[in-house]
Amino acid sequence: MKKCLIRVDSNGTIGTGHLMRCLAMAGELKKSCQVVFVLADKMGTELLEKEGFSYRCLESQWNQMEDEIEAVCQVIKEENAQVLLIDSYQVTKHYLECVRRLIKTVYVDDLHEFLYPCDLLVNYAVYAKDYDYENKYQNRDTKLLIGCSYAPLRQEFAALPEKEINEQIKNVLVLTGGTDSCHFALQFMQQIVDSQEYKNLKFHIICGKYNQDMEQLCELEKEKNNVQVYCNLFELVRFMRNVDIAISAGGTTLYELAACGTPTIGYSLADNQLENLKSFADKGCLLSVGDIRQGFPKEELLKRLGELTGSKMRQELSHRMKMLVDGNGCRRLAEEIMKL
């Protein structure tokens, strides 16, 4: 049976986003081949075990990938794999050149920092076409998979029906991703949920595995009757479909919300989310409160919540989101990877 290796990491610094989208791709790939994850260390292996995937740990530094070249090449030989998928911002041109001599390579790109020497290049970002990949790679032996049709979402996000938009807002979903370096969830509970105009709303706050405020959030939950805190949930489609609006960080979660058609207020807490958030907002797919690293945007959040009180705005956002992402990206990606 064919074998695909997936080189990815997850930890308190980079969060869980890379691993989560790789798990989505692995879920589709395992229908046609054996999948083995390759990680620098044991961070993230608990989730892999839960999902039933085997893995190899390199015992290396996740942010010093060139130091692991010999080790990862040894794993490629030992596993007798045909394809290596890499999802890490730490990769270098030299790293890719070395592994490509042994195996077909796929790279998931968000930043376009250099021309990546690989067999298959994936960038599913809403802004990906702005990078002009076609011209830059026209004389290179690399196949391009560019645009939102390749967004790597789990199977449950595929071909969802139109979202029902209620006349009034009753339930709000708050998402911070795997980490919450700006303490967004905590400040949200302290400054927003008690606002007089929204005291009748129910707030569902999802906290990732590496959220450092978990204990405080759970304590605050006991004091507030309109808040429920959920820790480290894996399957979010049910929440996204059932709430009236979402407030989310600007990573891959935005593509999941788009597939669900959930009206969204977005914010950025990392450099690699800025362009994503701006592009979604420019296309009229969400309302943005911008980069929150300089301070919690209380007034802006209250303003945006007010704008979504009416059902017409929420209906328009939902429709535009659904037009952007159909949820079948993993199937398309797996088909192209298997061709390698």
Side-chain angles (χ1 to χ4, degrees):
M1 189 177 189
K2 294 178 180 179
K3 185 179 289 186
C4 176
L5 304 179
I6 298 181
R7 176 67 187 91
V8 66
D9 290 308
S10 170
N11 56 53
T13 302
I14 60 174
T16 58
H18 295 278
L19 179 59
M20 294 302 286
R21 66 187 183 186
C22 283
L23 276 168
M25 288 184 275
E28 189 67 32
L29 283 167
K30 71 178 182 180
K31 298 176 183 178
S32 306
C33 69
Q34 184 181 355
V35 177
V36 178
F37 281 79
V38 182
L39 307 97
D41 51 46
K42 289 191 177 295
M43 299 291 283
T45 57
E46 182 181 351
L47 187 53
L48 294 179
E49 291 171 357
K50 179 182 176 183
E51 294 300 306
F53 287 103
S54 59
Y55 58 84
R56 298 282 300 268
C57 289
L58 300 174
E59 304 299 337
S60 59
Q61 296 295 317
W62 68 272
N63 56 354
Q64 299 293 330
M65 286 189 70
E66 288 210 354
D67 293 344
E68 73 176 43
I69 290 175
E70 184 177 346
V72 79
C73 287
Q74 185 63 33
V75 169
I76 291 169
K77 294 173 183 177
E78 291 174 359
E79 294 289 342
N80 191 28
Q82 289 75 48
V83 178
L84 172 66
L85 185 153
I86 302 169
D87 186 353
S88 171
Y89 295 161
Q90 309 303 315
V91 78
T92 65
K93 183 179 180 181
H94 177 63
Y95 186 103
L96 289 170
E97 289 172 340
C98 289
V99 296
R100 197 182 185 190
R101 297 188 190 113
L102 296 177
I103 193 170
K104 295 290 186 180
T105 56
V106 182
Y107 183 65
V108 182
D109 177 31
D110 295 324
L111 306 178
H112 190 51
E113 293 187 328
F114 56 90
L115 296 181
Y116 302 92
C118 58
D119 297 284
L120 199 62
L121 181 68
V122 182
N123 189 331
Y124 62 88
V126 64
Y127 55 82
K129 293 183 179 179
D130 295 341
Y131 287 152
D132 196 23
Y133 283 102
E134 296 290 345
N135 284 329
K136 293 175 181 176
Y137 281 83
Q138 62 179 339
N139 296 318
R140 302 175 71 89
D141 186 21
T142 299
K143 185 168 185 178
L144 303 173
L145 303 180
I146 308 300
C148 293
S149 60
Y150 296 103
L153 308 183
R154 296 186 304 281
Q155 178 61 38
E156 58 263 35
F157 288 98
L160 292 170
E162 291 291 323
K163 180 175 173 59
E164 182 178 345
I165 303 298
N166 297 318
E167 281 297 317
Q168 295 183 331
I169 297 174
K170 295 181 180 179
N171 292 281
V172 178
L173 183 64
V174 181
L175 301 142
T176 64
T179 61
D180 189 0
S181 57
C182 296
H183 309 283
F184 183 87
L186 182 59
Q187 293 184 80
F188 189 91
M189 287 185 70
Q190 292 170 335
Q191 301 187 49
I192 300 294
V193 298
D194 292 330
S195 299
Q196 189 64 26
E197 58 267 55
Y198 301 119
K199 65 179 182 179
N200 293 324
L201 298 184
K202 179 75 172 182
F203 294 96
H204 306 267
I205 298 181
I206 312 292
C207 297
K209 179 178 181 179
Y210 301 110
N211 192 307
Q212 299 176 2
D213 302 321
M214 194 75 72
E215 188 174 336
Q216 284 180 271
L217 290 168
C218 291
E219 285 300 315
L220 279 171
E221 178 188 24
K222 298 173 185 177
E223 302 172 9
K224 302 176 186 296
N225 58 17
N226 63 335
V227 175
Q228 190 161 358
V229 176
Y230 308 84
C231 305
N232 197 28
L233 292 182
F234 185 61
E235 296 182 359
L236 294 176
V237 64
R238 173 172 58 89
F239 286 90
M240 293 178 176
R241 291 285 295 170
N242 290 340
V243 299
D244 296 296
I245 64 172
I247 301 171
S248 174
T252 301
T253 305
L254 291 185
Y255 297 86
E256 296 176 342
L257 291 164
C260 292
T262 306
T264 298
I265 298 170
Y267 63 90
S268 171
L269 45 69
D271 286 344
N272 63 336
Q273 295 180 356
L274 291 171
E275 198 164 5
N276 210 32
L277 185 65
K278 183 179 184 301
S279 296
F280 266 88
D282 287 348
K283 290 182 180 293
C285 294
L286 57 69
L287 301 182
S288 171
V289 296
D291 190 342
I292 68 165
R293 287 174 290 184
Q294 304 306 313
F296 184 76
K298 178 179 180 179
E299 296 307 318
E300 192 72 12
L301 268 172
L302 290 173
K303 177 183 176 182
R304 295 306 193 188
L305 280 167
E307 290 176 32
L308 291 182
T309 300
S311 61
K312 183 177 180 181
M313 171 69 83
R314 284 183 280 121
Q315 186 71 60
E316 291 175 356
L317 290 178
S318 178
H319 177 71
R320 290 173 191 150
M321 293 277 264
K322 286 286 291 177
M323 292 293 290
L324 196 64
V325 180
D326 66 6
N328 289 305
C330 275
R331 176 179 56 78
R332 299 184 183 102
L333 288 171
E335 290 173 355
E336 294 296 335
I337 290 170
M338 292 306 300
K339 290 177 184 178
L340 293 176

